[in-house]
């Protein structure tokens, strides 16, 4: 038997570039247990320009967010990174830029399969998968539940030149099992712009013998109307059944699966965002929260905002105790 533990946090506000994000699972590891498998999930991102011109908004050359995990005993450490550049001196804003605008940041989640011996569960990430391609076959248990989610992405100009975009799309998926194997896949693209990209896709494959958690695979998000520079806010509530032997939800996290951000024009941007707006709220058997989608250009005479065609698909994972 094995159990799943969940941790989530933002990258440290002191440095959004190659920041170590530390997830300590020691409190969940019992006598004789260890972390048998682990994976990382992209739970949200905010990318905001700092420019070397009088404009707030700039064209785009490359956009991305990455999470590189390593296991050190009872701790999973992620090397988190963000990317926003126009190849012309304008980059993702970091904390030391001295402006009131938000720093670029990633919300990261770590999943750890904990037990005393080998487990049938599969928990991990396929890195650098070309957009639209399938991964090599991955062995999974017969009859397992298979859940794919985004772990990172990188998308850039296919020509090496900066340009205007009409939005951003991200997706993750997993094939139906064939001979106890699956393939994960995903896509990323800058809309109305010739771009190439790669995605990092996480996979959690499990049977009922992986305990201590549950997943609401597609939560119902109630999206507000776009509100200029405030973007679109979606509220959600995921209801779980706490199993026998457990009394409460102790940790919960968003697993980001798909994002579609649609701009009001094909133009420059200052900020692009798909991010939970605050910590999730746990109340009894329910987990609730809000999620923001945003893209905008605030420059005078060129203001452009997100449209209501934008959306995101979220799963919510909860850990019991």
């Amino acid at each position: 038997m094995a159990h799943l533990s969940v941790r989530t946090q933002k990258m440290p506000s002191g440095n959004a570039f190659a920041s170590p994000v530390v997830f300590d699972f020691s409190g969940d590891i019992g006598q004789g247990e260890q972390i048998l498998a682990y994976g990382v999930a992209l739970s949200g991102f905010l990318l905001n320009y700092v420019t070397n011109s009088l404009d707030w908004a700039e064209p785009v050359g490359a956009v991305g967010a990455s999470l590189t995990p390593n296991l050190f005993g009872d701790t999973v450490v992620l090397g988190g990174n963000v990317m926003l550049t126009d190849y012309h001196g304008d980059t993702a804003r970091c904390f030391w830029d001295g402006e009131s605008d938000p720093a670029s940041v990633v919300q990261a989640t770590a999943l750890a399969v904990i037990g005393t011996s080998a487990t049938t569960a599969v928990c991990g990430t396929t890195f650098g998968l070309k957009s639209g391609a399938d991964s090599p076959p991955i062995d999974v248990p017969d009859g397992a539940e298979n859940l794919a989610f985004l772990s990172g992405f990188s998308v850039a100009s296919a020509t090496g030149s900066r340009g205007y975009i009409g939005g951003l799309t991200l997706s993750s998926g997993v094939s139906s099992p064939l001979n106890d194997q699956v393939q994960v896949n995903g896509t990323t693209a800058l809309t109305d712009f010739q771009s190439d990209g790669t995605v990092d896709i996480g996979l959690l494959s499990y049977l009922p013998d992986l305990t201590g958690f549950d997943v609401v695979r597609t939560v119902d998000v109630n999206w507000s109307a776009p509100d200029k520079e405030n973007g679109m806010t979606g509220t959600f509530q995921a209801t779980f059944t706490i199993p026998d032997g457990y009394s409460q939800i102790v940790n919960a996290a968003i697993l980001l699966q798909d994002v579609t951000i649609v701009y009001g024009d094909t133009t420059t941007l200052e900020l692009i965002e798909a991010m939970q707006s605050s910590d999730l709220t746990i109340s009894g058997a329910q987990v609730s929260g809000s999620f923001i989608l945003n893209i905008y250009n605030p420059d005078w005479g060129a203001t452009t905002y997100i449209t209501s065609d934008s959306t995101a698909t979220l799963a919510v994972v909860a850990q019991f105790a």
Side-chain angles (χ1 to χ4, degrees):
M1 295 286 286
H3 54 97
L4 186 78
S5 291
V6 180
R7 300 287 190 274
T8 190
Q9 62 175 298
K10 287 183 180 179
M11 292 163 53
S13 60
N15 186 2
F17 302 91
S19 294
V21 188
V22 179
F23 298 93
D24 185 358
F25 290 94
S26 59
D28 296 349
I29 297 176
Q31 182 69 33
E33 292 186 328
Q34 60 181 321
I35 295 177
L36 303 172
Y38 62 96
V40 295
L42 184 65
S43 297
F45 60 89
L46 186 156
L47 305 174
N48 187 23
Y49 262 133
V50 57
T51 70
N52 60 5
S53 70
L54 296 177
D55 294 325
W56 290 101
E58 294 290 346
V60 172
V63 179
S66 64
L67 303 168
T68 304
N70 287 282
L71 178 64
F72 298 94
D74 300 341
T75 302
V76 175
V77 179
L78 306 182
N81 209 348
V82 296
M83 176 175 64
L84 178 63
T85 180
D86 64 355
Y87 303 145
H88 199 253
D90 303 304
T91 61
R93 183 181 299 277
C94 198
F95 82 105
W96 57 70
D97 295 317
E99 301 287 350
S100 60
D101 293 300
S104 302
V105 70
V106 164
Q107 179 87 24
T109 293
L111 307 176
V113 176
I114 297 171
T116 57
S117 59
T119 175
T120 59
V122 176
C123 184
T125 303
T126 300
F127 291 96
L129 188 62
K130 185 175 176 59
S131 178
D134 291 324
S135 72
I138 302 168
D139 293 334
V140 295
D142 181 28
E145 296 283 344
N146 299 302
L147 177 69
F149 45 86
L150 293 163
S151 296
F153 70 98
S154 176
V155 58
S157 167
T159 65
S161 300
R162 59 182 183 157
Y164 300 158
I165 70 168
L168 170 71
T169 61
L170 300 166
S171 71
S172 65
V174 59
S175 67
S176 298
L178 178 63
N179 298 325
D180 295 336
Q181 292 183 321
V182 298
Q183 293 173 286
V184 296
N185 53 72
T187 62
T188 181
L190 296 169
T191 312
D192 300 332
F193 186 65
Q194 189 176 352
S195 60
D196 293 324
T198 61
V199 285
D200 305 329
I201 304 297
L203 174 67
L204 179 63
S205 179
Y206 57 95
L207 294 170
D209 62 352
L210 183 64
T211 62
F213 83 105
D214 198 5
V215 178
V216 175
R217 287 175 168 261
T218 304
V219 297
D220 186 15
V221 182
N222 182 25
W223 295 104
S224 67
D227 183 19
K228 297 185 177 180
E229 289 187 26
N230 295 316
M232 289 171 52
T233 299
T235 57
F236 63 88
Q237 181 174 280
T239 301
F240 295 85
T241 299
I242 299 176
D244 292 341
Y246 299 91
S247 61
Q248 61 182 326
I249 298 173
V250 290
N251 293 306
I254 291 171
L255 305 179
L256 190 56
Q257 295 178 296
D258 305 293
V259 175
T260 301
I261 294 176
V262 182
Y263 215 2
D265 198 357
T266 302
T267 185
T268 58
L269 64 87
E270 179 191 355
L271 175 148
I272 187 165
E273 177 182 12
M275 173 68 86
Q276 65 186 64
S277 60
S278 60
D279 291 341
L280 302 183
T281 299
I282 299 173
S283 178
Q286 294 180 330
V287 176
S288 59
S290 58
F291 198 85
I292 295 176
L293 296 175
N294 203 0
I295 184 172
Y296 64 75
N297 177 348
D299 289 333
W300 184 83
T303 52
T304 312
Y305 305 110
I306 197 169
T307 75
S308 60
D309 293 324
S310 305
T311 190
T313 304
L314 316 176
V316 176
V317 58
Q319 176 189 345
F320 306 126

